[in-house]
């Protein structure tokens, strides 16, 4: 029987089992990635074996090369970089601007407009694909990258996120001082606000890039087979009467590696971002 | 804070030394007035185009017999909706969606809360564990769909291989309706559990330590403290994750599309056994080119999502009650 003080001091101390459970979860998280690399580095024969081999084989580069022969993978990569890059830049810029206005500027209708933005978070934009598709066709944009970029120029989440951060990060005194010095609004934003909200902007940038890179339904609807993003190209790899899994999973590995590297490098910040963005009681 | 806001808005101009009513001054006043609207405008323009307009225009299109590329669609009133309510395939897909949604959301949120409880202890290498748990969030849905379709393959899939190794009979994960729902739900859970765990963890860490200490001194064990201190204080967060996972779960598309044994198909299996509403919507619009009917599906799905999200809100509120007050 331990005393009360030792029990209080032990409060929140993990048991050994905690580590074991977490280790199982992390291994489970890793496994599908590893499996896809495993198949990609061997040939389809491995899939028929009852007990599959646990170590990668040597065929990964050969299988990867076939990916580039089967679908326009270079073009898909370039398209994904263009789309995700542009969307990330504009989302961060427009969200920071709107966040600055909502957090620090006074204007008629400010609260109502902000509440409206928060409410729009609940509108599932995916359901709008049909009119959006009709609109894009009428504009002659269907098939072009702008059809994927324009609908994602800025998000409600981004505005909400930047506003929350700007409220605390930018002191009114600083803005006022800049105004007294004769700064225009846009210069105040650029020289005073933006440097102060850089951490939040960086997190938003990472999120936006990942979301955009992994987006599937809308690019699938609006882009042509010859001009895909990476995700659409992957799906095309798999479509066919006979699925060549070594080929397909080489493709998924190729498409996942860049984002996995980014994630592992910036994981700490991404985690901090998610924890910061969670709703507070 | 309010006073600061007011000062910022009205007095800054007055304070400026020697206000001359010149062009510069008028420009600057205009700058102060118009800039905020200019800065928030991009969101409203984009939302108008991709949120509001589609929602209303979908309602409009749903009143027509509208084939893709048709310039003079026929107005048919509510016929699409009448047809939809009598459409067995639609109800079937709705059942599938709800079944997959329940099989994913319920275990996912329970595990997420428990996982968050483990992560909220004073772990060594806390950030490392969190990053590891979140890893699936980085994966692309398409890659995942393909990988899981392979793992759950009926003939050579690893899962069935393991089942046979331990002496169980293999399951046809694609042909069997319930089994296919389970497989798709596992895919969804694999991706989202860690993410939700982190959101819950953030809320858990905001709970003051003193509350736990006080409960411990009152003699409450781990389980009771969890039920009576932690859970009630998590209520807003639980509502948040439940509603976001509802909105996502009812729109599920990529996973069932890629799970098909006939890749590229939108049938959701040979007898539509795992076709979800969004997949049916996609098939109607972009395989059968019946935009009017697809729009009707979209609107009904939208209403269902609003309804279930509202229901969730009530339910979650009931499960996580406010803490009972105790005597001192």
């Amino acid at each position: 029987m331990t005393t009360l003080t030792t029990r209080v001091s032990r409060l929140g101390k993990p048991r050994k089992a905690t580590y074991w459970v977490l280790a199982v979860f992390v291994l489970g998280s890793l496994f599908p990635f590893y499996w896809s690399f495993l198949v990609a580095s061997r040939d389809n024969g491995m899939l028929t074996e009852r007990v599959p081999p646990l170590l990668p084989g040597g065929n990964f580069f050969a299988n990867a090369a076939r990916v580039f022969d089967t679908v326009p993978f270079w073009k898909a990569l370039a398209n994904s970089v263009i789309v995700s890059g542009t969307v990330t830049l504009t989302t961060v810029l427009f969200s920071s601007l709107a966040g600055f206005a909502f957090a620090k500027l006074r204007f008629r209708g400010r609260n109502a407009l902000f509440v409206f933005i928060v409410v729009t978070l609940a509108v599932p934009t995916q359901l709008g694909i049909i009119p959006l598709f009709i609109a894009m066709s009428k504009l002659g944009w269907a098939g072009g990258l702008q059809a994927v970029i324009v609908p994602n120029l800025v998000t409600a989440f981004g505005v909400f996120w930047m506003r929350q951060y700007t409220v605390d990060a930018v002191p009114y005194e600083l803005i006022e001082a800049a105004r007294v010095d004769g700064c225009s609004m846009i210069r105040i934003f650029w020289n005073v606000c933006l440097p102060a909200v850089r951490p939040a902007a960086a997190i938003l940038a990472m999120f936006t890039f990942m979301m955009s890179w992994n987006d599937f339904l809308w690019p699938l609807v609006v882009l042509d087979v010859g001009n895909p993003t990476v995700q659409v190209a992957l799906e095309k790899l798999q479509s066919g009467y006979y699925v060549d899994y070594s080929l397909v999973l080489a493709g998924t590995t190729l498409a996942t590696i860049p984002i996995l590297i980014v994630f592992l490098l910036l994981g700490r910040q991404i985690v901090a971002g998610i924890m910061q963005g969670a709703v507070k009681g | 804070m309010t006073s600061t806001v007011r000062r910022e808005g009205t007095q800054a101009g007055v304070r400026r030394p020697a206000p001359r009513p010149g062009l510069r001054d008028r420009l600057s006043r205009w700058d102060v007035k118009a800039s905020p609207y200019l800065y928030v405008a991009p969101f409203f323009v984009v939302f108008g185009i991709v949120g509001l307009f589609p929602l209303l225009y979908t309602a409009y299109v749903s009143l027509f017999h509208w084939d893709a590329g048709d310039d003079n669609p026929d107005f048919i009133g509510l016929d699409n909706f009448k047809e939809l309510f009598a459409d067995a395939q639609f109800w079937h897909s709705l059942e599938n969606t709800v079944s997959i949604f329940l099989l994913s959301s319920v275990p996912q949120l329970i595990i997420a809360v428990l996982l968050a409880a483990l992560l909220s202890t004073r772990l060594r290498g806390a950030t490392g564990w969190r990053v590891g748990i979140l890893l699936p969030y980085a994966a692309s849905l398409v890659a995942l769909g393909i990988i899981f379709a392979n793992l759950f393959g009926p003939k050579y899939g690893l899962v069935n291989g393991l089942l046979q190794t331990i002496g169980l009979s293999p399951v046809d994960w694609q042909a069997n309706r319930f089994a296919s729902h389970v497989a798709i739900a596992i895919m969804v859970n694999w991706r989202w559990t860690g993410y939700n765990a982190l959101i819950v963890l953030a809320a858990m860490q905001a709970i003051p330590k003193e509350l736990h200490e006080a409960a411990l001194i009152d003699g409450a064990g781990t389980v009771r403290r969890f039920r009576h201190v932690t859970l009630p204080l998590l209520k807003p967060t639980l509502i948040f994750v439940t509603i976001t996972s509802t909105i996502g779960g009812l729109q599920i598309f990529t996973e069932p599309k890629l799970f098909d044994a006939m890749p590229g198909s939108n049938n959701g299996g040979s007898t539509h056994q795992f076709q979800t509403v969004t997949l049916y919507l996609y098939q109607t619009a972009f395989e059968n080119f019946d935009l009017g009917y697809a729009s009707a599906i979209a609107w009904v799905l939208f209403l269902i999502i609003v309804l279930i999200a509202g229901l969730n809100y009530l339910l979650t509120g009931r499960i996580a009650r406010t803490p009972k007050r105790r005597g001192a």
Side-chain angles (χ1 to χ4, degrees):
Chain A
M1 188 67 199
T2 47
T3 63
L4 198 60
T5 10
T6 49
R7 272 170 63 202
V8 170
S9 74
R10 271 190 207 159
L11 193 68
K13 209 168 170 221
R15 293 174 203 173
K16 250 203 188 114
T18 306
Y19 287 103
W20 279 112
V21 175
L22 290 176
V24 168
F25 261 92
V26 172
L27 284 179
S29 300
L30 272 171
F31 180 73
F33 296 117
Y34 184 68
W35 174 256
S36 108
F37 179 64
L38 208 62
V39 180
S41 66
R42 291 177 171 268
D43 57 52
N44 282 312
M46 108 168 229
L47 291 170
T48 57
E49 285 166 43
R50 185 74 169 277
V51 179
L54 288 175
L55 290 175
N59 286 341
F60 180 72
F61 290 103
N63 287 327
R66 286 196 297 137
V67 171
F68 289 93
D69 293 338
T70 316
V71 286
F73 209 73
W74 284 118
K75 186 157 200 192
L77 275 171
N79 281 345
S80 278
V81 168
I82 292 170
V83 168
S84 302
T86 318
V87 163
T88 304
L89 266 180
T90 60
T91 301
V92 169
L93 180 69
F94 289 145
S95 301
S96 315
L97 267 172
F100 171 59
F102 279 122
K104 295 291 156 179
L105 305 182
R106 236 167 69 92
F107 54 100
R108 201 180 288 265
R110 178 172 85 161
N111 291 335
L113 289 177
F114 187 67
V115 168
F116 181 80
I117 289 187
V118 173
V119 170
T120 66
L121 277 170
V123 178
T125 43
Q126 285 208 340
L127 296 186
I129 52 172
I130 292 159
L132 209 52
F133 178 74
I134 296 175
M136 291 300 169
S137 307
K138 289 223 163 118
L139 283 170
W141 286 7
L145 292 185
Q146 69 268 43
V148 185
I149 293 173
V150 170
N152 294 308
L153 284 176
V154 56
T155 57
F157 171 78
V159 176
F160 177 77
W161 170 258
M162 291 313 297
R163 187 228 168 234
Q164 299 306 84
Y165 194 87
T166 312
V167 167
D168 295 329
V170 185
Y172 281 106
E173 288 74 19
L174 224 54
I175 298 176
E176 223 173 299
R179 288 266 304 281
V180 172
D181 288 348
C183 266
S184 67
M185 281 301 183
I186 195 73
R187 275 199 61 190
I188 296 177
F189 168 75
W190 197 257
N191 293 335
V192 176
C193 176
L194 212 49
V197 299
R198 253 195 0 225
I203 289 165
L204 180 63
M206 289 184 297
F207 272 159
T208 312
F209 192 88
M210 277 169 53
M211 299 248 268
S212 177
W213 184 271
N214 289 333
D215 193 15
F216 176 58
L217 175 57
W218 177 241
L220 176 70
V221 166
V222 84
L223 291 181
D224 297 328
V225 187
N227 191 32
T229 59
V230 167
Q231 310 301 331
V232 178
L234 279 186
E235 200 261 346
K236 285 288 165 300
L237 263 188
Q238 196 216 21
S239 307
Y241 287 100
Y242 166 73
V243 182
D244 179 349
Y245 272 111
S246 291
L247 170 74
V248 174
L249 293 178
T252 65
T253 307
L254 283 176
T256 310
I257 286 175
I259 205 116
L260 218 55
I261 289 174
V262 170
F263 184 83
L264 289 176
L265 287 177
L266 306 175
R268 181 183 281 270
Q269 277 91 329
I270 295 176
V271 164
I274 286 182
M275 303 265 299
Q276 209 178 58
V279 277
K280 285 171 194 138
Chain B
M1 225 180 78
T2 352
S3 68
T4 352
V5 176
R6 222 172 271 144
R7 207 171 59 216
E8 201 274 319
T10 53
Q11 283 183 4
V14 181
R15 267 202 194 178
R16 208 176 299 174
R20 279 173 308 165
L23 178 67
R24 243 192 97 160
D25 203 43
R26 273 197 316 231
L27 266 180
S28 129
R29 219 170 276 170
W30 184 85
D31 182 28
V32 170
K33 276 214 162 129
S35 292
Y37 294 105
L38 225 63
Y39 298 166
V40 302
F43 172 80
F44 288 94
V45 173
V46 170
F47 177 73
I49 298 172
V50 304
L52 201 59
F53 159 73
L55 205 64
L56 300 175
Y57 198 64
T58 308
Y60 174 74
V61 175
S62 73
L63 302 176
F64 290 82
H65 181 83
W66 191 314
D67 286 329
D70 190 349
D71 286 331
N72 287 310
D74 299 327
F75 180 82
I76 53 169
L78 293 175
D79 282 4
N80 278 327
F81 289 92
K82 273 186 213 149
E83 198 185 324
L84 187 63
F85 285 118
D87 180 355
Q89 195 182 340
F90 171 72
W91 292 111
H92 192 71
S93 70
L94 186 59
E95 272 172 36
N96 292 341
T97 308
V98 172
S99 161
I100 293 170
F101 159 66
L102 288 177
L103 283 171
S104 53
S105 285
V106 176
Q108 183 187 126
L109 293 180
I110 293 173
I111 296 173
V113 172
L114 295 178
L115 202 54
L118 293 184
L119 285 167
S120 73
T121 54
R122 290 177 299 185
L123 291 171
R124 243 174 292 162
T127 313
W129 291 111
R130 291 176 192 170
V131 172
I133 295 288
L134 190 65
L135 207 58
Y137 178 69
S140 96
L141 275 183
V142 178
L144 269 188
I146 294 172
I147 294 168
F148 274 79
N150 172 254
L151 287 172
F152 282 101
K155 267 191 212 141
Y156 305 124
L158 181 70
V159 176
N160 272 349
L162 286 176
L163 285 181
Q164 281 167 299
T165 312
I166 58 172
L168 296 171
S169 50
V171 176
D172 195 335
W173 296 100
Q174 280 161 343
N176 181 302
R177 191 176 182 199
F178 183 70
S180 68
H181 294 183
V182 170
I184 292 170
I186 290 176
M187 209 187 306
V188 177
N189 290 340
W190 184 80
R191 184 175 159 92
W192 290 106
T193 306
Y195 174 84
N196 283 322
L198 285 188
I199 290 183
V200 175
L201 173 64
M204 266 186 200
Q205 293 196 323
I207 298 172
K209 220 178 131 199
E210 291 75 29
L211 279 180
H212 275 288
E213 285 175 2
L216 186 70
I217 290 167
D218 281 353
T222 317
V223 176
R224 279 193 68 181
R225 282 206 313 275
F226 183 71
R227 272 200 56 194
H228 294 286
V229 178
T230 310
L231 269 190
L233 288 169
L234 289 180
K235 188 171 144 181
T237 310
L238 290 180
I239 292 175
F240 173 79
V241 289
T242 316
I243 289 177
T244 47
S245 73
T246 306
I247 294 173
L250 293 177
Q251 290 188 80
I252 186 170
F253 167 77
T254 311
E255 292 91 341
K257 178 161 171 60
L258 292 163
F259 195 63
D260 211 299
M262 252 270 288
S265 153
N266 299 310
N267 281 326
S270 48
T271 55
H272 307 298
Q273 65 270 27
F274 51 89
Q275 188 176 48
T276 57
V277 178
T278 309
L279 190 52
Y280 185 39
L281 165 84
Y282 177 85
Q283 182 176 42
T284 311
F286 301 105
E287 194 184 306
N288 305 335
F289 305 112
D290 192 347
L291 297 183
Y293 197 60
S295 297
I297 300 177
W299 250 89
V300 172
L301 180 59
F302 173 60
L303 293 179
I304 291 172
I305 288 176
V306 171
L307 193 82
I308 297 188
L311 214 68
N312 262 332
Y313 182 80
L314 295 176
L315 273 179
T316 323
R318 182 162 300 178
I319 292 168
R321 288 157 306 175
T322 30
K324 283 184 202 133
R325 290 191 184 275
R326 289 184 212 182

